[in-house]
Amino acid sequence: MPLISVDRLKPGLQIGKPLYDDQQRLLVADGYTLDSVVIRKLRERGYTYVFVKDGITDYAKPVDVIRDSTRRSVSRNIHSSFKEVVHHRILRSVPPADLRARLQTDKALKRLLNVSSIRKQAGELLEDLLDNHVRMYTALPFRTKDARSLEHAIDTALLSMLVGQELGFDWRDLGALASSALMHDIGKEILGAKNLENTVSKSERFNLYRQHSMFSTMILKSSDPASFKEQLTIEAHHEQINGNGYPNRLRALDLPLERRRLKGENQIYRLSQVLAVANRYDNLVSGAATGQSMTPEHALVQVIREAGTAWNSHIVRALSGIVSILPVGVRVRIAKTQIMETSGHFGVVVEANEITPLAPMVVVTHNPQRQRVEPFKVDFSMDERSRLEIIL
């Protein structure tokens, strides 16, 4: 089934995959026929893309690395844990400039976060990921305004675990990556709830947000002092190996993560380096990094350009091995191919290619003039020089 932008929705189209709100309550059911009122409400809620039925490729279901039921359960529980922190009556009254000092000294702000619950959710993600035996990350950001941070946390956790798997990490490190990813932006959530636009200057706001990983770490440390791995991972998830990151401008060598280093040569914890790359990729795809969402291909190209300077190139190579450039459901334009009768045509990806990600199976549905044609299937693995462009 095709994935389309909400801006392209028209009355009469049928939803192909259910939509939920930030608390995972059903909003629009599978098969629901859209009208102008519902389309307007989806846009107001900030939905980016939805799956719709086209009567041709409905059999091709998008494959996620975890079950939908697991994602909804984890999202609901994370939402509950974060809500208790972000809306804590004392924390909300703390002025932004005093946040660091109060987190360090105020006993009433200890044990804010239910870390054991977060770890349980991380364990469910890891267990589902391992049970499903899916190694390719195919998600695109289906995020409403209200659920944006939750979905970012979950997607970054999944990306981090898949990259960790590719690098040969054991289950303990994979679990620590997942729990760290779920908690890495709690400091940013607290800042976001303070309505900084109306209380501090633009430069002060910029400086505060560059400290959000430190705030996240402080909350984690006071909630669970023994969470050393997660503290190290979260505090440095915006550091870059060239020293241009924040908050501490740490450096690291561009070497395989398992290689031993002399003391002082590598200042960034290895799990932090993995989380940093996963975080960067997801922010590019969702548009959080630049203000405009990128296709998986363009986001991956951007991360690859930054490899060896900002990010560990071995981690980036692992990321490129697990990201599906053309996931099932995306609409494509056949920009270049040796199969002449399909050049310039449009279609829907119905089967991803794990070996050659840029050469999936496509059902052609429209000619270059966007007129419907009798659908036919093309296997682009037979044409290694083909070029498909995502249409969203």
Side-chain angles (χ1 to χ4, degrees), residues 131-152:
D131 285 347
N132 283 353
H133 303 289
V134 177
R135 300 188 66 90
M136 293 297 290
Y137 182 80
T138 61
L140 282 172
F142 295 86
R143 297 176 187 167
T144 65
K145 296 173 183 176
D146 295 333
R148 192 169 293 141
S149 59
L150 284 174
E151 293 304 316
H152 169 65

mmCIF file of all heavy atoms in Angstrom, residues 131-152:
data_model
loop_
_atom_site.group_PDB
_atom_site.id
_atom_site.type_symbol
_atom_site.label_atom_id
_atom_site.label_comp_id
_atom_site.label_asym_id
_atom_site.label_seq_id
_atom_site.Cartn_x
_atom_site.Cartn_y
_atom_site.Cartn_z
ATOM 1 N N ASP A 131 13.248 -11.214 18.428
ATOM 2 C CA ASP A 131 12.287 -12.248 18.034
ATOM 3 C C ASP A 131 11.867 -12.121 16.580
ATOM 4 O O ASP A 131 11.596 -13.107 15.905
ATOM 5 C CB ASP A 131 11.039 -12.182 18.931
ATOM 6 C CG ASP A 131 11.291 -12.747 20.320
ATOM 7 O OD1 ASP A 131 12.340 -13.406 20.519
ATOM 8 O OD2 ASP A 131 10.448 -12.531 21.207
ATOM 9 N N ASN A 132 11.766 -10.868 16.097
ATOM 10 C CA ASN A 132 11.280 -10.645 14.728
ATOM 11 C C ASN A 132 12.325 -10.947 13.667
ATOM 12 O O ASN A 132 11.991 -11.112 12.486
ATOM 13 C CB ASN A 132 10.798 -9.206 14.574
ATOM 14 C CG ASN A 132 9.442 -8.982 15.202
ATOM 15 O OD1 ASN A 132 8.783 -9.913 15.640
ATOM 16 N ND2 ASN A 132 9.016 -7.734 15.260
ATOM 17 N N HIS A 133 13.592 -10.983 14.047
ATOM 18 C CA HIS A 133 14.688 -11.284 13.105
ATOM 19 C C HIS A 133 14.694 -10.337 11.902
ATOM 20 O O HIS A 133 15.031 -10.729 10.783
ATOM 21 C CB HIS A 133 14.607 -12.733 12.616
ATOM 22 C CG HIS A 133 14.619 -13.751 13.715
ATOM 23 N ND1 HIS A 133 15.747 -14.019 14.465
ATOM 24 C CD2 HIS A 133 13.635 -14.547 14.216
ATOM 25 C CE1 HIS A 133 15.468 -14.943 15.362
ATOM 26 N NE2 HIS A 133 14.195 -15.268 15.251
ATOM 27 N N VAL A 134 14.270 -9.088 12.111
ATOM 28 C CA VAL A 134 14.307 -8.080 11.048
ATOM 29 C C VAL A 134 15.518 -7.189 11.283
ATOM 30 O O VAL A 134 15.647 -6.570 12.323
ATOM 31 C CB VAL A 134 13.021 -7.219 11.038
ATOM 32 C CG1 VAL A 134 13.111 -6.136 9.968
ATOM 33 C CG2 VAL A 134 11.803 -8.102 10.812
ATOM 34 N N ARG A 135 16.411 -7.121 10.309
ATOM 35 C CA ARG A 135 17.659 -6.383 10.491
ATOM 36 C C ARG A 135 17.677 -5.058 9.726
ATOM 37 O O ARG A 135 18.623 -4.283 9.862
ATOM 38 C CB ARG A 135 18.855 -7.239 10.058
ATOM 39 C CG ARG A 135 18.996 -8.547 10.831
ATOM 40 C CD ARG A 135 20.292 -9.243 10.489
ATOM 41 N NE ARG A 135 21.452 -8.485 10.940
ATOM 42 C CZ ARG A 135 22.000 -8.635 12.143
ATOM 43 N NH1 ARG A 135 21.485 -9.481 13.003
ATOM 44 N NH2 ARG A 135 23.048 -7.919 12.492
ATOM 45 N N MET A 136 16.652 -4.820 8.911
ATOM 46 C CA MET A 136 16.609 -3.581 8.144
ATOM 47 C C MET A 136 15.634 -2.599 8.790
ATOM 48 O O MET A 136 14.500 -2.954 9.131
ATOM 49 C CB MET A 136 16.177 -3.850 6.705
ATOM 50 C CG MET A 136 17.188 -4.660 5.900
ATOM 51 S SD MET A 136 18.773 -3.813 5.683
ATOM 52 C CE MET A 136 18.326 -2.485 4.562
ATOM 53 N N TYR A 137 16.072 -1.353 8.961
ATOM 54 C CA TYR A 137 15.244 -0.316 9.545
ATOM 55 C C TYR A 137 14.476 0.375 8.429
ATOM 56 O O TYR A 137 15.068 0.973 7.525
ATOM 57 C CB TYR A 137 16.115 0.692 10.292
ATOM 58 C CG TYR A 137 15.332 1.789 10.969
ATOM 59 C CD1 TYR A 137 14.716 1.558 12.191
ATOM 60 C CD2 TYR A 137 15.217 3.039 10.386
ATOM 61 C CE1 TYR A 137 14.004 2.555 12.815
ATOM 62 C CE2 TYR A 137 14.496 4.041 11.008
ATOM 63 C CZ TYR A 137 13.897 3.791 12.223
ATOM 64 O OH TYR A 137 13.180 4.790 12.838
ATOM 65 N N THR A 138 13.141 0.299 8.490
ATOM 66 C CA THR A 138 12.327 0.767 7.370
ATOM 67 C C THR A 138 11.430 1.942 7.722
ATOM 68 O O THR A 138 10.668 2.409 6.877
ATOM 69 C CB THR A 138 11.426 -0.381 6.863
ATOM 70 O OG1 THR A 138 10.554 -0.792 7.934
ATOM 71 C CG2 THR A 138 12.254 -1.568 6.421
ATOM 72 N N ALA A 139 11.464 2.411 8.972
ATOM 73 C CA ALA A 139 10.484 3.395 9.430
ATOM 74 C C ALA A 139 10.708 4.771 8.812
ATOM 75 O O ALA A 139 11.827 5.199 8.584
ATOM 76 C CB ALA A 139 10.519 3.502 10.948
ATOM 77 N N LEU A 140 9.591 5.450 8.555
ATOM 78 C CA LEU A 140 9.582 6.879 8.253
ATOM 79 C C LEU A 140 8.820 7.562 9.388
ATOM 80 O O LEU A 140 7.987 6.933 10.050
ATOM 81 C CB LEU A 140 8.906 7.144 6.902
ATOM 82 C CG LEU A 140 9.766 6.840 5.676
ATOM 83 C CD1 LEU A 140 8.916 6.947 4.421
ATOM 84 C CD2 LEU A 140 10.935 7.804 5.584
ATOM 85 N N PRO A 141 9.081 8.831 9.648
ATOM 86 C CA PRO A 141 8.529 9.480 10.833
ATOM 87 C C PRO A 141 7.034 9.793 10.751
ATOM 88 O O PRO A 141 6.622 10.797 10.195
ATOM 89 C CB PRO A 141 9.348 10.778 10.941
ATOM 90 C CG PRO A 141 9.785 11.045 9.556
ATOM 91 C CD PRO A 141 9.990 9.716 8.909
ATOM 92 N N PHE A 142 6.204 8.904 11.324
ATOM 93 C CA PHE A 142 4.771 9.150 11.441
ATOM 94 C C PHE A 142 4.545 9.871 12.761
ATOM 95 O O PHE A 142 4.226 9.253 13.776
ATOM 96 C CB PHE A 142 4.004 7.824 11.450
ATOM 97 C CG PHE A 142 4.105 7.069 10.172
ATOM 98 C CD1 PHE A 142 5.173 6.214 9.930
ATOM 99 C CD2 PHE A 142 3.128 7.199 9.210
ATOM 100 C CE1 PHE A 142 5.254 5.511 8.747
ATOM 101 C CE2 PHE A 142 3.208 6.494 8.022
ATOM 102 C CZ PHE A 142 4.274 5.648 7.788
ATOM 103 N N ARG A 143 4.731 11.159 12.811
ATOM 104 C CA ARG A 143 4.746 11.855 14.093
ATOM 105 C C ARG A 143 3.787 13.012 14.132
ATOM 106 O O ARG A 143 3.822 13.891 13.278
ATOM 107 C CB ARG A 143 6.166 12.343 14.414
ATOM 108 C CG ARG A 143 7.110 11.165 14.563
ATOM 109 C CD ARG A 143 8.529 11.577 14.786
ATOM 110 N NE ARG A 143 9.368 10.389 14.745
ATOM 111 C CZ ARG A 143 10.677 10.414 14.659
ATOM 112 N NH1 ARG A 143 11.312 11.566 14.630
ATOM 113 N NH2 ARG A 143 11.364 9.297 14.606
ATOM 114 N N THR A 144 2.946 13.006 15.151
ATOM 115 C CA THR A 144 2.094 14.150 15.399
ATOM 116 C C THR A 144 2.874 15.150 16.251
ATOM 117 O O THR A 144 3.939 14.827 16.780
ATOM 118 C CB THR A 144 0.826 13.733 16.150
ATOM 119 O OG1 THR A 144 1.188 13.248 17.442
ATOM 120 C CG2 THR A 144 0.080 12.651 15.391
ATOM 121 N N LYS A 145 2.322 16.335 16.393
ATOM 122 C CA LYS A 145 2.977 17.348 17.222
ATOM 123 C C LYS A 145 3.118 16.854 18.660
ATOM 124 O O LYS A 145 4.143 17.072 19.308
ATOM 125 C CB LYS A 145 2.173 18.649 17.182
ATOM 126 C CG LYS A 145 2.098 19.296 15.803
ATOM 127 C CD LYS A 145 1.156 20.481 15.811
ATOM 128 C CE LYS A 145 1.028 21.082 14.414
ATOM 129 N NZ LYS A 145 0.036 22.188 14.377
ATOM 130 N N ASP A 146 2.074 16.192 19.167
ATOM 131 C CA ASP A 146 2.085 15.753 20.552
ATOM 132 C C ASP A 146 3.009 14.566 20.797
ATOM 133 O O ASP A 146 3.565 14.426 21.885
ATOM 134 C CB ASP A 146 0.663 15.365 20.997
ATOM 135 C CG ASP A 146 -0.274 16.556 21.015
ATOM 136 O OD1 ASP A 146 0.218 17.684 21.188
ATOM 137 O OD2 ASP A 146 -1.486 16.364 20.855
ATOM 138 N N ALA A 147 3.176 13.693 19.803
ATOM 139 C CA ALA A 147 3.929 12.448 20.012
ATOM 140 C C ALA A 147 5.333 12.485 19.419
ATOM 141 O O ALA A 147 6.023 11.478 19.407
ATOM 142 C CB ALA A 147 3.157 11.273 19.416
ATOM 143 N N ARG A 148 5.748 13.660 18.940
ATOM 144 C CA ARG A 148 7.026 13.755 18.225
ATOM 145 C C ARG A 148 8.203 13.265 19.065
ATOM 146 O O ARG A 148 9.026 12.474 18.607
ATOM 147 C CB ARG A 148 7.236 15.199 17.789
ATOM 148 C CG ARG A 148 8.372 15.405 16.790
ATOM 149 C CD ARG A 148 8.305 16.815 16.245
ATOM 150 N NE ARG A 148 7.121 16.998 15.427
ATOM 151 C CZ ARG A 148 6.365 18.094 15.414
ATOM 152 N NH1 ARG A 148 6.668 19.105 16.204
ATOM 153 N NH2 ARG A 148 5.306 18.183 14.625
ATOM 154 N N SER A 149 8.299 13.709 20.314
ATOM 155 C CA SER A 149 9.450 13.337 21.139
ATOM 156 C C SER A 149 9.421 11.866 21.517
ATOM 157 O O SER A 149 10.463 11.209 21.578
ATOM 158 C CB SER A 149 9.497 14.201 22.401
ATOM 159 O OG SER A 149 8.309 14.058 23.155
ATOM 160 N N LEU A 150 8.224 11.315 21.765
ATOM 161 C CA LEU A 150 8.110 9.897 22.101
ATOM 162 C C LEU A 150 8.548 9.020 20.939
ATOM 163 O O LEU A 150 9.299 8.054 21.110
ATOM 164 C CB LEU A 150 6.670 9.567 22.483
ATOM 165 C CG LEU A 150 6.192 9.994 23.867
ATOM 166 C CD1 LEU A 150 4.702 9.717 24.021
ATOM 167 C CD2 LEU A 150 6.972 9.263 24.945
ATOM 168 N N GLU A 151 8.057 9.334 19.748
ATOM 169 C CA GLU A 151 8.414 8.525 18.587
ATOM 170 C C GLU A 151 9.897 8.655 18.259
ATOM 171 O O GLU A 151 10.539 7.694 17.833
ATOM 172 C CB GLU A 151 7.553 8.935 17.384
ATOM 173 C CG GLU A 151 6.081 8.603 17.541
ATOM 174 C CD GLU A 151 5.845 7.132 17.829
ATOM 175 O OE1 GLU A 151 6.478 6.282 17.179
ATOM 176 O OE2 GLU A 151 5.038 6.823 18.721
ATOM 177 N N HIS A 152 10.445 9.857 18.477
ATOM 178 C CA HIS A 152 11.889 10.032 18.269
ATOM 179 C C HIS A 152 12.672 9.140 19.225
ATOM 180 O O HIS A 152 13.646 8.501 18.833
ATOM 181 C CB HIS A 152 12.278 11.493 18.490
ATOM 182 C CG HIS A 152 13.758 11.731 18.549
ATOM 183 N ND1 HIS A 152 14.597 11.519 17.468
ATOM 184 C CD2 HIS A 152 14.562 12.142 19.572
ATOM 185 C CE1 HIS A 152 15.842 11.800 17.813
ATOM 186 N NE2 HIS A 152 15.851 12.170 19.096
#
